[in-house]
Amino acid sequence: MSWGSELWDQFDNLEKHTQWGIEYLEKYTKFVKERSEIEFNYAKQIRNLSKKYQPKKNSREEEESKYSFCRAFLATLNELNDYAGQHEVIAENLMSQIITELARYTQELKTERKSHFHDGRKAQQHIESSWKQLESCKRKFERECKEAERANQHFERMDADINVTKADVEKARQQAQMRQQMATDSKNDYSSYLQKFNQEQNEHYFTIIPNIFQKLQDMEEKRIEKLGVCMKTFAEVNRQVLPIVGKCLDGMTKAAGSIEPKTDSKQVVESYKSGFEPPGDVEFEDYGQAMKRTASETSLSNSKEGKEKSASKSKGKLWPFIKNKNKITLNSHVRNLIEGSGPEDFSHLPPEQRRKKLQGKLDDLNKDIQKEMDQRDALTKMKDVYIKNPQMGDPASVDPRLTEIGQNIEKLQLEAQKFEGWLAEVEERMPSKSDTQRRSVLYETQNNTTVGNNCAQDRESPDGSYTEEQNSETQVKATVNPASTTPDFDDEFDDEDSLPTIGTCKALYPFEGHNEGTIAMAEGEVLYVIEEDKGDGWTRVRRNQDEEGYVPTSYVEVFLETNAKDS
């Protein structure tokens, strides 16, 4: 249906309707703008949330990266950041494809509407002016007719009056004829203008106004169509990011599926394993048997052997549960491992953790060495090119850099050798499964030897010195445990005279002292130092006048006396 034919007399209502249509378009534009702002703010909040829970740049980040659930959460945060980016894309597309376009179109629409209603008002004014002119012609014709009628009546009265002169009658007749002519002219003008007005009115209501209203109708339909296109674009803008949003969600699902509880549980072992051996069984000590022995049975050898066994078995039994308030414990050393504090050789760490740290440091050094070597090879090739083609560059210009790289490689290699030495030292000292088996065989051999020789006189002389049988027992021990990696301390114990104490030490960790020459100690136990570490990683200590042996230097905290330090 056409506005021109159906709404020819609704000019004012159409003006109000088209104005409301433009206002509705502006209302929708405002809606899309607010939606865009919501998307921007949502994306910003999502990004801030992802950033807030990202791991901080410190040593803890390296620790967290070991576990699959931490890596999965990090991957989820990264996917969430990409997810936020898609909402930024929605906001940007809404701004460029709808808001900016509608703002431009609305301005054009206002200009077009103003032009059409200007033409309509002009046509309306023209037809109203023609109507007024027609009314003027009609009133003039009416006036002229009345004047002609009065002039004619006056002429008839003058002509009938015998007292009026002939000249007056003639004058009245001429006046009547003139008025009649004027009335006839007015009639002709009125008739002519009436015909013209009817033509103009017909053109106005059937041509001009319909054309203007048709343009307004086309404008309004385009506005509605444009609004529909924008609503469709609004949906498509959201739909376009769905594949990428789906990939982000798939990434989150994949990250969740990558969590491996067993692997993480194993990683806990790798992270906190100390390398210490669990304490052995506590041996029954028969104090009543001493009452039945002769004086020779309580000699130095038996008491020494019994005390060493007692110390090695009972002292370290409950070491995981011992709490030392004055010194750092194993847990604090694990924290030092995580935080990266401590000496360069990581001697403050438990054996297993120290080995891992040294191995990691050695791997890093080897990577740096390889990187420097690659640079050296590249520069060497460049120098060869310069030598063959002098126009490309001066070969001597490469020499300073080659010298510097050579020095760097030499320093890194020396550093690597240092860590290799420390690593070899740790690996030698760490107990293996075969060592544990050998120690169990040694323990059984010692027990069997003790049972088979109930009389102490068979092994010792009356003065308590070791006999040949005792030496043969030592040989049996050496044969049972040929792979022992600890130093041979037999020569150290051949001295009859006891060494003076030069200080004290406190055990940081328990040590079982299964091998010959070593002495067991419990965590927190205080021992006397009789010989400092000579660089082999062992310190000689004494528990009392009878018990002496070596303990790992890294397992104790040494307090030397002042005169010992000066000497």
Side-chain angles (χ1 to χ4, degrees):
M1 299 180 70
S2 174
W3 286 9
S5 59
E6 302 293 335
L7 304 176
W8 61 270
D9 57 346
Q10 300 297 320
F11 186 89
D12 293 339
N13 287 331
L14 287 180
E15 186 175 17
K16 293 177 182 178
H17 177 77
T18 52
Q19 178 62 30
W20 172 79
I22 292 177
E23 291 174 355
Y24 197 89
L25 191 64
E26 292 175 337
K27 176 182 177 180
Y28 181 76
T29 305
K30 184 179 179 182
F31 158 76
V32 177
K33 185 177 181 181
E34 291 181 2
R35 170 63 190 276
S36 176
E37 291 174 353
I38 290 174
E39 293 292 341
F40 265 124
N41 293 332
Y42 178 68
K44 183 179 179 181
Q45 291 176 357
I46 291 294
R47 284 194 185 277
N48 290 339
L49 180 65
S50 175
K51 183 179 179 181
K52 177 181 178 181
Y53 284 92
Q54 288 282 348
K56 300 298 184 293
K57 300 295 182 181
N58 52 28
S59 58
R60 186 64 183 171
E61 178 183 4
E62 180 181 355
E63 182 70 15
E64 290 182 356
S65 64
K66 297 178 182 178
Y67 300 99
S68 63
F69 64 89
C70 293
R71 295 193 299 270
F73 182 52
L74 179 60
T76 300
L77 292 177
N78 293 333
E79 293 292 350
L80 190 63
N81 195 58
D82 295 340
Y83 175 82
Q86 297 311 304
H87 284 275
E88 289 178 348
V89 171
I90 291 176
E92 292 170 357
N93 289 341
L94 289 177
M95 180 64 69
S96 61
Q97 298 181 23
I98 297 181
I99 298 174
T100 303
E101 179 65 19
L102 281 183
R104 180 192 60 80
Y105 179 75
T106 302
Q107 192 62 36
E108 294 177 355
L109 197 63
K110 288 180 179 180
T111 303
E112 182 181 359
R113 175 183 173 278
K114 182 178 180 180
S115 175
H116 293 328
F117 279 102
H118 174 74
D119 294 342
R121 291 190 184 90
K122 186 177 179 181
Q124 192 71 20
Q125 291 173 358
H126 178 73
I127 197 66
E128 289 177 359
S129 176
S130 296
W131 171 256
K132 290 178 181 179
Q133 191 170 1
L134 176 62
E135 287 292 317
S136 176
C137 290
K138 184 173 70 170
R139 286 194 298 271
K140 182 180 179 182
F141 171 59
E142 182 182 7
R143 247 188 345 264
E144 294 296 335
C145 287
K146 289 179 178 180
E147 290 293 333
E149 181 65 25
R150 284 195 296 268
N152 188 47
Q153 291 176 359
H154 179 68
F155 166 70
E156 290 178 352
R157 284 197 303 270
M158 293 289 288
D159 187 39
D161 190 357
I162 57 174
N163 296 322
V164 178
T165 62
K166 189 176 181 179
D168 292 335
V169 172
E170 184 62 23
K171 183 178 179 181
R173 184 181 64 80
Q174 291 177 356
Q175 186 68 25
Q177 290 178 351
M178 182 185 69
R179 290 294 180 182
Q180 186 64 38
Q181 185 62 41
M182 291 176 66
T184 302
D185 294 339
S186 296
K187 179 181 179 181
N188 293 334
D189 292 341
Y190 171 65
S191 175
S192 174
Y193 202 84
L194 179 61
Q195 184 178 2
K196 179 182 177 183
F197 174 78
N198 288 332
Q199 290 177 354
E200 290 179 351
Q201 181 175 254
N202 184 72
E203 183 179 6
H204 176 79
Y205 287 109
F206 292 97
T207 303
I208 297 176
I209 291 299
N211 288 339
I212 294 174
F213 282 11
Q214 184 63 44
K215 292 177 181 180
L216 288 173
Q217 184 178 358
D218 294 341
M219 179 194 73
E220 183 68 7
E221 290 176 356
K222 287 180 180 179
R223 178 191 67 80
I224 297 172
E225 182 182 5
K226 186 71 172 179
L227 192 59
V229 170
C230 290
M231 289 181 179
K232 182 179 179 181
T233 304
F234 181 88
E236 289 299 321
V237 165
N238 286 270
R239 193 190 307 277
Q240 287 170 0
V241 302
L242 290 181
I244 302 179
V245 170
K247 289 182 179 179
C248 293
L249 298 177
D250 291 341
M252 296 179 189
T253 303
K254 183 178 179 181
S258 68
I259 296 177
E260 300 176 350
K262 295 293 184 183
T263 304
D264 289 348
S265 180
K266 182 180 178 182
Q267 186 59 49
V268 175
V269 177
E270 295 295 326
S271 297
Y272 299 108
K273 181 180 178 182
S274 66
F276 295 136
E277 287 287 330
D281 295 337
V282 178
E283 183 181 353
F284 177 76
E285 300 180 29
D286 191 356
Y287 292 101
Q289 187 178 0
M291 300 173 61
K292 300 178 181 180
R293 290 182 179 178
T294 61
S296 63
E297 289 178 329
T298 61
S299 59
L300 174 62
S301 177
N302 276 345
S303 62
K304 179 178 180 179
E305 182 179 356
K307 290 179 179 179
E308 284 182 354
K309 288 183 178 180
S310 175
S312 65
K313 296 299 181 181
S314 62
K315 289 289 185 180
K317 174 64 178 174
L318 300 178
W319 70 265
F321 311 104
I322 296 175
K323 294 184 179 179
N324 185 357
K325 297 182 179 179
N326 297 325
K327 298 298 176 183
I328 54 177
T329 62
L330 177 62
N331 289 335
S332 64
H333 276 267
V334 174
R335 285 197 299 272
N336 288 335
L337 170 66
I338 296 174
E339 296 170 2
S341 61
E344 184 183 12
D345 63 348
F346 306 107
S347 58
H348 64 296
L349 299 176
E352 178 66 20
Q353 302 300 331
R354 184 185 181 194
R355 183 191 66 78
K356 288 182 182 179
K357 275 290 185 180
L358 290 172
Q359 185 64 55
K361 185 69 176 179
L362 191 58
D363 293 342
D364 293 340
L365 287 172
N366 289 332
K367 289 180 182 179
D368 294 338
I369 291 172
Q370 186 61 44
K371 187 184 297 183
E372 294 289 338
M373 287 182 174
D374 292 341
Q375 292 184 11
R376 183 180 63 183
D377 294 342
L379 288 174
T380 303
K381 292 180 182 179
M382 183 184 296
K383 184 176 180 180
D384 293 341
V385 172
Y386 287 169
I387 293 173
K388 295 178 182 179
N389 302 283
Q391 68 276 9
M392 296 184 67
D394 182 12
S397 63
V398 186
D399 292 339
R401 179 58 180 161
L402 284 173
T403 303
E404 181 184 354
I405 292 177
Q407 293 174 353
N408 292 340
I409 292 176
E410 184 177 355
K411 291 179 182 178
L412 290 171
Q413 287 175 343
L414 291 174
E415 191 78 5
Q417 290 176 3
K418 180 171 65 174
F419 280 92
E420 285 175 354
W422 288 333
L423 181 60
E425 175 188 347
V426 173
E427 290 177 343
E428 287 176 2
R429 294 182 183 178
M430 288 184 62
S432 61
K433 293 183 178 178
S434 59
D435 293 336
T436 306
Q437 295 172 355
R438 284 194 295 272
R439 282 198 293 272
S440 64
V441 174
L442 173 60
Y443 179 70
E444 292 176 1
T445 304
Q446 291 173 336
N447 288 343
N448 294 335
T449 304
T450 304
V451 172
N453 296 281
N454 292 328
C455 296
Q457 288 87 344
D458 296 339
R459 298 191 297 109
E460 299 179 7
S461 60
D463 59 356
S465 61
Y466 286 96
T467 63
E468 291 181 0
E469 290 183 1
Q470 175 67 24
N471 292 337
S472 67
E473 183 181 352
T474 304
Q475 291 176 359
V476 171
K477 293 178 181 179
T479 304
V480 174
N481 192 12
S484 176
T485 58
T486 56
D488 187 5
F489 302 104
D490 289 345
D491 296 339
E492 306 279 346
F493 285 95
D494 289 340
D495 298 336
E496 292 292 338
D497 298 333
S498 61
L499 297 175
T501 61
I502 60 174
T504 59
C505 67
K506 194 161 191 177
L508 300 177
Y509 315 108
F511 179 66
E512 295 188 10
H514 287 300
N515 297 313
E516 272 195 82
T518 62
I519 184 173
M521 62 179 179
E523 181 181 353
E525 183 179 2
V526 178
L527 303 172
Y528 294 102
V529 178
I530 58 177
E531 189 175 320
E532 286 189 84
D533 187 348
K534 296 180 179 180
D536 57 359
W538 295 88
T539 299
R540 190 173 178 180
V541 299
R542 177 187 296 133
R543 176 174 286 107
N544 49 44
Q545 294 300 324
D546 297 329
E547 292 184 85
E548 293 182 3
Y550 285 86
V551 296
T553 304
S554 60
Y555 280 41
V556 296
E557 184 174 4
V558 178
F559 306 95
L560 296 179
E561 297 175 358
T562 307
N563 56 355
K565 293 180 181 179
D566 296 339
S567 62

